[in-house]
Amino acid sequence: MLECLNKPRSFYRRLLYLSLPVIAQNLITTSLGFMDTFMVGLLGSDQMSAVTVANVPIFIIQLIVFGLQSGSSVLISQYWGKGDRESINRVIGIGFYVAGGISTLFALAMFFFPAGVLGLITDNAHLIALAEPYIQIVGFSYIFNALSSIYIGMQRSMENPKFGMTVFAVSTVCNTLGNYLLIFGKLGLPALGIRGAAVATLCSRILEFAISFLYALRCRTMPLQPRHILRPGTDVLRRFVKYSTPVLLNETLWGTGTSLFTVIMGHMALSEELIAAYTVAGGIDKLVTASLFGVAAASAVIVGKEIGTGASREQVLSTGRALTVVSLCLGVLVGLTETGLYLLVLQPCVLPLFKLSAVSAGICTLFIYAYSSAAPLNAFVTTVVVGVLRGGGDVRCAMLIDILPLWLGTLPLLALCGLVLDAPPILLCFVMAFEPLLKCPFGLWRLLRSEWIHDVTVQN
C-alpha cells in the first residue's frame, strides 16, 4: 500500500495547492465560529446550549447544501477536465434551483413554527424559549448562503479554492464583529443577546452572497451563461439526479443522524451539561481537524479531473490510494496536536472562560480525548467517502459506507446507552467519537478495488 506514495513532487504540490486554501477557509470559519460560541457562552451556559439546539436544523440545511455542492463537484470536476464550460453552467443552474428552494422551505418553517421545530430536538422548555428568536431570524441567512456556496463549490471544483477562502474569511469576520456589537450592545447599538447573534449571521451571509455575485459577473475563467443556468436541460438533469442525489441523501441522512446525538442528549437527565460540553468540544475538534476536510475536498477534485482527462484506471487507482494514505498520516498528527493543544492551552486558559459547570467541563475533556483518539480513523473515512469515491463517481457506495454504520450501529447504541441504560458520560463520548471505526473496513474494501472509477460525463 505504501508504494503508492511514490509520486512525483508535482502531485504533492498540487495537493497542497488545492488543500491549503480549503484548510485556511475551514480554520477561519471554525475559529471565528468558536469565538461566536464563546461570545454567546458569556451570556451563560443555558444561552449557549439554546443556540446549539437551534443550530441543529441549521446544521441539516448546511449539510444539504454541502451535499448539493459535493454532488455537483462530481460532475463539474470531470467536465472541467474535459473543458466543457456549457455543461458546468447547466450543473450549477440545477444546484441553484434545488439549494435555493430547500433553504427557503426550511427558513419559512423555522420562522412560522419555531417552537414546533425546536420541540423535535429537545423537551427542555427553557432552552426552547431562549432559542425561538434566534431560529426565526437565522434561517433566512442560509438562503443566501446556499446560493453562494453552490457557486463557491463550482470554483473549487475548477481548481480555484482561494476564492471560497476569501469569501468566507470576509463574511466570518463580519459575523464575529456583528456578534460582538449586537450581542453586547457596543458602539451605541442595542444589546440583543441571542437575537443579535442571529442578525449578525444574516448580515454576513448577505455579504458573502454579494461578493460571490459580483465576482461571477466579472469571472473570465468561467463566464456565466444565463441561458444554460436558467434552462439546464434534461440530459444534465438526469446526470445530476443520478450522481448528486446519492450525495444529497448521504449528507442529509448523515446530518440528521449526527443531529440526533443532540436530540438524544436533549432528553437525558444531564441534558444542559452534556449539550454545553458537546458544543465546546465540538468547536475545538472542528478547529483542529479542519485540515482533514481540506485534503478530502482536494482529493475529490484531483481524482475527478484525472478521470475527466482520460487517465488510466491503474493511474487513478494509485492516486486514490496515495491520497488516503496521506490523510491517514495526517490524522495521526492531528490527533496528537488536538490532545497537546487542549492540555497545554485550551484546558487551562480557554475552557474557564466558558463558565461551564464542573460536570460540563469534565465531560468536555472526555469528548476531546475521544475525538483526538479517533482522528486517524476520521481522516481515512473522510478522504475515502468525500474525496476518492465521490471524485470517482462511486456515489452510491460512498453513501452506503457513510450512512449504514451510523444508523444501524452508532445511533441505536447511543440511544441504548443514554436513554435506557443511563450509561456514564465517558461511554457516550466514545460511542459518538468512534463512529468512523465502523466505516473503516468497508471503506478499505472498496478503495482496494477498481469498481469505484466511473466517467460520469458519458452516457452509460
Side-chain angles (χ1 to χ4, degrees):
M1 189 81 172
L2 292 178
E3 64 270 11
C4 64
L5 293 175
N6 186 23
K7 296 285 185 182
R9 290 185 179 180
S10 59
F11 173 83
Y12 293 102
R13 283 198 298 267
R14 187 176 173 215
L15 179 60
L16 282 174
Y17 172 78
L18 294 173
S19 298
L20 289 178
V22 180
I23 294 170
Q25 172 188 319
N26 289 341
L27 282 173
I28 291 167
T29 54
T30 53
S31 61
L32 292 179
F34 188 73
M35 287 300 298
D36 291 350
T37 302
F38 170 68
M39 283 188 278
V40 173
L42 292 177
L43 299 174
S45 60
D46 287 356
Q47 285 81 355
M48 185 172 63
S49 296
V51 170
T52 300
V53 168
N55 276 325
V56 169
I58 299 300
F59 177 60
I60 295 174
I61 297 175
Q62 289 176 308
L63 284 168
I64 291 173
V65 172
F66 178 72
L68 289 168
Q69 190 184 65
S70 300
S72 300
S73 73
V74 174
L75 292 163
I76 291 172
S77 59
Q78 293 194 22
Y79 280 129
W80 177 242
K82 294 180 181 295
D84 188 350
R85 288 172 170 78
E86 178 183 315
S87 294
I88 292 175
N89 270 272
R90 294 181 186 276
V91 171
I92 64 168
I94 297 170
F96 286 152
Y97 279 123
V98 179
I102 291 175
S103 58
T104 299
L105 288 176
F106 266 82
L108 292 174
M110 289 186 286
F111 181 79
F112 288 108
F113 311 105
V117 172
L118 293 167
L120 298 174
I121 303 165
T122 180
D123 57 0
N124 189 316
H126 179 56
L127 294 184
I128 291 175
L130 288 173
E132 277 190 71
Y134 178 88
I135 201 174
Q136 286 184 298
I137 298 171
V138 80
F140 289 102
S141 69
Y142 286 92
I143 300 174
F144 298 98
N145 177 251
L147 298 175
S148 59
S149 293
I150 292 296
Y151 183 78
I152 289 168
M154 180 199 74
Q155 290 290 337
R156 181 185 300 170
S157 299
M158 293 166 47
E159 301 179 286
N160 182 23
K162 293 181 180 178
F163 175 67
M165 176 189 70
T166 303
V167 172
F168 286 123
V170 173
S171 70
T172 310
V173 170
C174 172
N175 189 14
T176 302
L177 179 61
N179 278 342
Y180 175 72
L181 296 176
L182 294 173
I183 291 175
F184 305 110
K186 303 297 182 179
L187 299 181
L189 296 173
L192 300 178
I194 289 179
R195 193 189 302 269
V199 173
T201 299
L202 176 60
C203 292
S204 68
R205 297 309 186 191
I206 293 173
L207 176 62
E208 76 182 31
F209 173 79
I211 295 172
S212 299
F213 182 73
L214 293 175
Y215 181 87
L217 294 178
R218 301 173 61 88
C219 180
R220 295 184 179 180
T221 305
M222 174 52 66
L224 294 181
Q225 300 171 0
R227 179 165 61 93
H228 297 134
I229 292 175
L230 296 175
R231 301 182 64 181
T234 56
D235 181 60
V236 172
L237 178 60
R238 281 195 298 269
R239 297 178 196 274
F240 187 93
V241 170
K242 181 177 181 179
Y243 293 103
S244 294
T245 300
V247 180
L248 178 59
L249 288 174
N250 186 166
E251 296 302 331
T252 303
L253 291 173
W254 183 84
T256 304
T258 54
S259 296
L260 289 176
F261 293 172
T262 305
V263 174
I264 292 171
M265 289 186 289
H267 288 81
M268 293 175 62
L270 295 174
S271 61
E272 294 183 15
E273 290 83 356
L274 281 165
I275 292 174
Y278 180 64
T279 302
V280 175
I284 294 171
D285 184 63
K286 289 176 184 176
L287 176 64
V288 179
T289 59
S291 57
L292 306 183
F293 294 94
V295 172
S299 299
V301 175
I302 291 172
V303 170
K305 188 176 181 183
E306 277 200 1
I307 295 173
T309 54
S312 67
R313 295 181 73 86
E314 291 74 18
Q315 181 180 344
V316 176
L317 187 61
S318 175
T319 296
R321 291 175 177 176
L323 291 166
T324 51
V325 173
V326 169
S327 69
L328 183 61
C329 296
L330 179 62
V332 174
L333 179 62
V334 165
L336 295 173
T337 301
E338 184 168 10
T339 301
L341 182 65
Y342 181 75
L343 291 176
L344 298 176
V345 179
L346 297 175
Q347 187 179 40
C349 302
V350 178
L351 201 61
L353 300 177
F354 282 93
K355 300 179 181 178
L356 297 177
S357 68
V359 173
S360 291
I363 297 173
C364 180
T365 301
L366 294 176
F367 270 119
I368 294 296
Y369 288 152
Y371 284 139
S372 59
S373 300
L377 303 177
N378 188 22
F380 175 79
V381 169
T382 301
T383 297
V384 169
V385 173
V386 178
V388 175
L389 297 187
R390 285 186 186 172
D394 196 27
V395 291
R396 291 186 183 89
C397 193
M399 176 184 69
L400 295 175
I401 292 172
D402 206 28
I403 294 305
L404 292 183
L406 170 64
W407 282 89
L408 300 181
T410 303
L411 277 173
L413 183 58
L414 183 63
L416 175 65
C417 293
L419 302 179
V420 179
L421 301 179
D422 195 23
I426 186 171
L427 183 57
L428 301 176
C429 295
F430 277 86
V431 167
M432 285 186 272
F434 274 86
E435 179 213 346
L437 179 63
L438 302 177
K439 302 176 181 178
C440 281
F442 304 104
L444 181 61
W445 168 78
R446 191 62 176 174
L447 177 68
L448 294 177
R449 303 164 67 89
S450 61
E451 285 86 352
W452 56 267
I453 302 172
H454 307 277
D455 187 341
V456 303
T457 65
V458 299
Q459 189 69 40
N460 294 329

